[in-house]
Amino acid sequence: MSVRVYRSGGIVVEAGGKRLLLDPTGIPDRKPDVVFVSHAHSDHCRPSVLRALKGVPKVMSHATRDLVDPRRRLDSVVAVNAGEEVEVAGLQLEVHEAGHVIGSLQLRFDAGATVVYTGDFNLERRVVMRPAPVLKADVLVIDATYGHHRYTFPPRPLLYKAIVQTVREAVEEGRGLALAARTLGTGQELTALLSLVAKVVPFVEEKIAEKNRIYEKYGEVLGEYAVHSLRPPRGAIAVVPLSSDHPGAVPCTGWAVGRGIPLSSHAGFSDLLRYVVESGVATIYAFSSFASSFASYISREMGIEAYAL
Ligand SMILES: [Zn+2]
């Protein structure tokens, strides 16, 4: 059974006479049978595009729906929970945890060959959410945001230890500390880590706190935190958005390897390789930042057919 994977508005998978559109941020050339939204980050989902795809079933988790369509303006939404299997437009779709941000899902379906789309994912045990399982696949469409060996991150326990120690030193010295994180993702992980593990009550910027409430709605325990709008009070332990210009804020992102704390909601390079090996895959399509170098590495070093999207 042939499976075609290409880009048009998002990632398109054609198999078994059906056309799936994954994480659209633009209008595709041809109308899909199903749209799948893996999670609510803006590089995976654009509400205006989803509105334009009228009448097409749009599969997403309940939490993703709350984040991208809080006023329920989208039509044909099929809201699902991780672990469920649903039939949509004649396709049996399985959705699984992706461990990336609240509501993030992986997709698996069978069209003669088993196709898996990871979306953005994380395999590690963290203070928030459950990790992504590795899914068996014939064809794997995988996130390669950190698909370069430079982005091999320390294990979570070591990162957590370093953050907690930095926070405790700041508290002992009576000085403030701001950790800069993504509004949806590491913002909530840091809220929980500071509150539940470092035992401080962090000041969390309002946009991050908004997302905290969605995590809490879906059962995630983040502990106690205070909310600030413009600037946290002097001397506070704070979580601010990466996009803010807070002076002296320590960046917590995978891109901060070597200059900050490489805490990411994505899988780092070694976990990407683990996924490839354990999935038993025959063909790979890599997407996002390091797609080309990751695809080259996989075909060169592992002898697996691999392409960049
Ligand atoms: Zn993401």
Side-chain angles (χ1 to χ4, degrees), residues 39 41 43-44 100 120 182 266:
H39 66 291
H41 280 150
D43 55 338
H44 286 257
H100 173 61
D120 293 348
R182 281 199 79 166
H266 290 262

Side-chain angles (χ1 to χ4, degrees), residues 27 39 70 95 111 129 147 152 192 214 216 238 242 255 266 285 295 300:
I27 304 294
H39 66 291
V95 292
M129 300 188 306
T152 301
I214 304 282
E216 289 162 338
L242 273 171
W255 302 115
H266 290 262
Y285 293 88
R300 190 178 65 240

Side-chain angles (χ1 to χ4, degrees), residues 250-286:
V250 179
C252 297
T253 160
W255 302 115
V257 162
R259 64 182 173 90
I261 295 170
L263 184 82
S264 177
S265 304
H266 290 262
F269 186 68
S270 52
D271 277 349
L272 294 181
L273 295 185
R274 193 186 131 202
Y275 202 116
V276 169
V277 170
E278 292 181 10
S279 66
V281 70
T283 309
I284 284 181
Y285 293 88

Side-chain angles (χ1 to χ4, degrees), residues 35-290:
V35 167
F36 174 71
V37 180
S38 67
H39 66 291
H41 280 150
S42 59
D43 55 338
H44 286 257
C45 148
R46 201 145 301 161
S48 60
V49 170
L50 295 177
R51 277 198 296 276
L53 291 163
K54 283 195 177 38
V56 180
K58 299 161 188 76
V59 179
M60 64 186 80
S61 69
H62 292 273
T64 298
R65 186 185 200 185
D66 284 350
L67 288 160
V68 304
D69 185 30
R71 294 184 187 162
R72 300 294 188 258
R73 287 183 173 161
L74 289 178
D75 71 308
S76 314
V77 171
V78 181
V80 292
N81 292 309
E84 285 180 2
E85 194 171 335
V86 285
E87 190 184 330
V88 185
L91 276 162
Q92 284 293 124
L93 305 176
E94 277 174 43
V95 292
H96 297 266
E97 298 278 2
H100 173 61
V101 299
I102 196 72
S104 60
L105 294 174
Q106 305 185 76
L107 174 69
R108 176 161 69 181
F109 61 97
D110 205 310
T114 303
V115 181
V116 166
Y117 173 60
T118 63
D120 293 348
F121 69 96
N122 195 297
L123 299 179
E124 287 190 286
R125 277 170 55 90
R126 302 192 285 163
V127 287
V128 285
M129 300 188 306
R130 285 193 296 257
V134 173
L135 303 175
K136 293 284 180 198
D138 300 314
V139 176
L140 177 65
V141 185
I142 187 168
D143 166 43
T145 298
Y146 294 117
H148 187 284
H149 64 82
R150 188 188 312 147
Y151 297 98
T152 301
F153 305 134
R156 229 52 173 197
L158 287 185
L159 282 173
Y160 283 174
K161 203 173 158 193
I163 295 168
V164 169
Q165 199 173 326
T166 306
V167 167
R168 287 194 176 141
E169 279 168 16
V171 171
E172 273 163 30
E173 291 164 16
R175 61 182 163 85
L177 175 71
L179 299 173
R182 281 199 79 166
T183 307
L184 174 66
T186 42
Q188 289 67 46
E189 187 175 6
L190 284 172
T191 304
L193 183 68
L194 298 186
S195 184
L196 302 173
V197 182
K199 308 286 185 201
V200 299
V201 178
F203 274 80
V204 173
E205 201 267 354
E206 213 163 21
K207 288 194 198 73
I208 295 174
E210 256 174 45
K211 310 295 191 235
N212 283 9
R213 290 178 203 117
I214 304 282
Y215 273 61
E216 289 162 338
K217 177 180 171 184
Y218 287 91
E220 294 293 327
V221 177
L222 303 182
E224 205 182 328
Y225 55 91
V227 181
H228 71 268
S229 48
L230 284 173
R231 291 258 177 255
R234 280 175 78 88
I237 303 297
V239 185
V240 300
L242 273 171
S243 55
S244 76
D245 56 356
H246 189 91
V250 179
C252 297
T253 160
W255 302 115
V257 162
R259 64 182 173 90
I261 295 170
L263 184 82
S264 177
S265 304
H266 290 262
F269 186 68
S270 52
D271 277 349
L272 294 181
L273 295 185
R274 193 186 131 202
Y275 202 116
V276 169
V277 170
E278 292 181 10
S279 66
V281 70
T283 309
I284 284 181
Y285 293 88
F287 62 91
S288 201
S289 322
F290 281 102

